[in-house]
Structures are given as structure tokens and as C-alpha cells.
Amino acid sequence: MNKPNILEAENWIDIWHHYYNAEIELEKSDPNAICISSVDTNGMPNSRYVLLKDVTERGFTFYTNLTSQKSIELFQNGKGAMTWWSRAQNKSVRVQGTVDQVNDAVANAYWDSRKEDAKISALISKQSKEVENREQLEEEFAKAKLEYAGKNIPRPAHWSGIIICPLRIEFWESTSEYTSRLHNRIVFELKNDLWQKKRLYP
Ligand SMILES: Cc1cc2nc3c(=O)[nH]c(=O)nc-3n(C[C@H](O)[C@H](O)[C@H](O)COP(=O)(O)O)c2cc1C
């Protein structure tokens, strides 16, 4: 009997979990690294990696400084894109969508789960501003660490979770006949609140 093919699933999230659960076993170093793309007011695209922290039917959540370039561009446009690649499985997921923010309770819960040093570095970061040198950065970090020793470190209001809420998701996977390049490309598109699924030529 043939093994059921996950690409036959009717819900994109089932395929995502299938890909990602396998990835956690195979890739020990940042299996959740995703590339986030935004566009500035001149139409210049901009991409960078972040760590994906949650995936639900609503979308893909990562955490960042809300004064960062990515945050400004994503909220200015109300649109963004995400790409995930698995070297181990030779698969990729590509998402385009609208942009939303998690509520304070969700942001606080994730903040509380972070290690103290990660909290301190988020707290002192003057996101993407020029810093004199490495020593300056380390001095500010040490000062804040001392200041907050044994105290609760509050989540800065400018640090939260951004959700890429998908409108289009593509699952790409190479097949065992790699040399033929007959790869699988399955796309889900949200039309009138309903997900439509189709296959593309590779
Ligand atoms: C593997 C990896 C994971 C990263 N994870 C995050 C993250 O979760 N959140 C974040 O704000 N920056 C993260 N960064 C740093 C960003 O790539 C980026 O340098 C920073 O957020 C500033 O981006 P921006 O100026 O385009 O907003 C990560 C970098 C790498 C290489």
C-alpha cells in the first residue's frame, strides 16, 4: 500500500506541522529560522532572518522590536512575506500575507519564557541605531544587568510578536527523482474566506 502523501491534505496547517515536526528531529540548530521580507516606502525590498515562535490557523508569529525597520515596513504596508527552507528535507514554505500583532497577554507570556540575558539585551537595544563600538554595547548590557539583578525585567512596550497572516502559502518539495527537477509545488490561496488549493508546474 502506498504511504499517504501529506500534500494531499486539505488544510495548509497540517502540511506545515508535518514538515516542521520532521525538521525538529533532523535540524538541531534553529529549525525555526525564517526569512521575513518587507518593502520600504520607495519599493525597496528588504529581508532578514528571525525565529518563528508560533504557528496557528491565524498565522506565523515571531518576536521583535517594534521600532525595527522590519516592523515599520511591515506595518506601513500591512503586508509581508516569509520563507522557510529545510536543507535536511529539501523542502520550502513560502508565505505572503497581511500583518498583525499579538495581544499584550501573549507577548507577556512569551517574554516571561525568555532567559534573563535575552530580556536584558532586548531592553537595552536602541534597535538598529549606530553604536560607538562593542565595548559601549557590553557596558550598557552590564549596567542594566546590575540594575535588574534579582528584579522582574519588564517587557518593553516596543517589543512584541508580529504575525504574518497568510493569504497565500506555497509548499515546495523536491521529489526522489531530483535530477528530473519534477518538484512538487502545492499552493493554498485564500479567496472569499475559503482556502483554494492548486498544483503548479515546477
Ligand atoms: C538565525 C537568526 C535569527 C534571528 N532571530 C531574530 C528574531 O527572532 N527577532 C529579531 O528581531 N531579530 C532576529 N535576528 C536578527 C535579524 O536578522 C535582524 O538583524 C534584526 O532583527 C534587525 O532587522 P531589521 O533592521 O531589518 O528590522 C535573527 C538573525 C538570525 C541570523
Side-chain angles (χ1 to χ4, degrees):
M1 205 171 75
N2 283 339
K3 234 171 57 185
N5 183 348
I6 189 63
L7 291 180
E8 280 160 22
E10 285 310 317
N11 296 315
W12 65 261
I13 202 158
D14 293 340
I15 307 180
W16 168 263
H17 286 314
H18 185 87
Y19 278 20
Y20 190 66
N21 290 342
E23 190 68 6
I24 302 169
E25 299 302 319
L26 295 164
E27 176 60 69
K28 293 300 163 206
S29 182
D30 297 338
N32 56 339
I34 51 169
C35 180
I36 291 287
S37 300
S38 55
V39 177
D40 74 12
T41 45
N42 295 318
M44 178 65 85
N46 202 352
S47 299
R48 77 291 283 160
Y49 284 93
V50 297
L51 296 179
L52 181 65
K53 292 295 171 179
D54 192 32
V55 181
T56 66
E57 298 278 356
R58 188 173 167 207
F60 298 79
T61 302
F62 64 92
Y63 286 83
T64 193
N65 186 315
L66 297 178
T67 68
S68 66
Q69 190 167 8
K70 73 178 92 47
S71 306
I72 291 168
E73 292 174 0
L74 289 170
F75 283 113
Q76 246 162 18
N77 283 316
K79 295 177 200 141
M82 175 201 113
T83 321
W84 175 84
W85 177 56
S86 160
R87 181 201 302 274
Q89 302 180 74
N90 211 354
K91 289 177 175 159
S92 162
V93 179
R94 184 170 157 186
V95 178
Q96 288 174 298
T98 55
V99 179
D100 208 344
Q101 193 181 317
V102 302
N103 64 35
D104 284 350
V106 171
N108 287 340
Y110 177 64
W111 175 261
D112 289 344
S113 76
R114 280 168 64 99
K115 297 218 163 60
E116 186 186 296
D117 281 1
K119 289 180 180 171
I120 300 270
S121 76
L123 201 67
I124 63 147
S125 173
K126 300 176 189 74
Q127 179 71 52
S128 302
K129 299 273 183 310
E130 189 173 344
V131 57
E132 192 73 18
N133 48 38
R134 175 84 205 173
E135 288 69 35
Q136 168 81 16
L137 188 62
E138 289 182 9
E139 231 171 76
E140 289 182 25
F141 180 87
K143 203 170 147 225
K145 209 169 152 109
L146 208 62
E147 189 183 331
Y148 284 98
K151 292 189 196 143
N152 176 48
I153 306 169
R155 175 178 65 87
H158 60 260
W159 188 96
S160 189
I162 294 182
I163 313 170
I164 302 291
C165 307
L167 295 173
R168 185 181 194 277
I169 309 182
E170 179 183 321
F171 294 90
W172 180 102
E173 54 179 57
S174 106
T175 57
S176 48
E177 308 88 40
Y178 189 82
T179 44
S180 71
R181 301 291 196 271
L182 280 183
H183 308 308
N184 287 318
R185 291 181 69 189
I186 299 294
V187 172
F188 288 80
E189 270 175 331
L190 194 57
K191 296 260 164 78
N192 301 321
D193 287 335
L194 286 176
W195 283 105
Q196 295 183 359
K197 184 181 176 188
K198 61 190 176 192
R199 175 180 284 272
L200 305 182
Y201 281 96

